[in-house]
Amino acid sequence: MLNISRIDDLVANSMNILEPTPVDADGNARQDVLQANDPVDIMLLPGLAFDKSGRRLGRGGGYYDTFLKNYRDLAETRNWTQPLLVVLSYSQQILDDGVIPVTSTDIPVDALVSPESVIPISSAAFDRMDL
């Protein structure tokens, strides 16, 4: 996970998915957020499907949940505010509650954003989002 500060920091990869390059427009190496000296305010997460309880269905490898746990531990150690976990999705990806399977290591998201609506889920989302 690399820190970005503007949309120009993203370029399309071979699958036409926008992602940060290892160096910014000024030629500086991007900072890995797990090595950062400053907290992250928001994390945009991918997924295949979501529900209004904050459950996220990924690809089953647990990569993002592991990363999020590691970042949460880092933020807690440094006394940082936890980042807001937000999903950008199509409305069709938002399913009824109870349909998405969860495990004890799954970390729920704070808010869902679709073309039709913003759905705050956690108290952090209600507190920090300007709705």
Side-chain angles (χ1 to χ4, degrees):
M1 301 293 169
L2 301 173
N3 189 24
I4 64 168
S5 58
R6 58 184 185 245
I7 194 70
D8 295 342
D9 290 341
L10 303 174
V11 296
N13 66 16
S14 62
M15 297 180 70
N16 207 28
I17 298 171
L18 294 177
E19 64 182 12
T21 58
V23 296
D24 66 18
D26 299 324
N28 300 313
R30 292 198 191 282
Q31 187 177 48
D32 181 317
V33 297
L34 291 175
Q35 306 298 318
N37 294 319
D38 297 306
V40 172
D41 296 320
I42 187 171
M43 290 188 179
L44 302 177
L45 301 173
L48 301 173
F50 317 94
D51 71 19
K52 293 178 183 176
S53 295
R55 295 178 186 101
R56 184 183 67 84
L57 181 66
R59 308 284 313 254
Y63 174 81
Y64 282 93
D65 293 307
T66 300
F67 167 79
L68 292 171
K69 181 193 178 312
N70 290 340
Y71 187 85
R72 282 185 168 183
D73 291 348
L74 173 69
E76 186 176 318
T77 299
R78 295 187 178 179
N79 202 28
W80 290 343
T81 299
Q82 295 292 337
L84 198 63
L85 306 180
V86 177
V87 165
L88 304 178
S89 72
Y90 294 110
S91 297
Q92 301 90 321
Q93 291 175 281
I94 301 173
L95 306 177
D96 293 333
D97 285 350
V99 175
I100 295 176
V102 293
T103 67
S104 62
T105 58
D106 289 339
I107 295 176
V109 299
D110 296 304
L112 304 172
V113 177
S114 75
E116 286 77 29
S117 64
V118 173
I119 304 169
I121 297 167
S122 70
S123 59
F126 281 101
D127 292 345
R128 293 169 61 189
M129 296 176 76
D130 185 20
L131 301 175

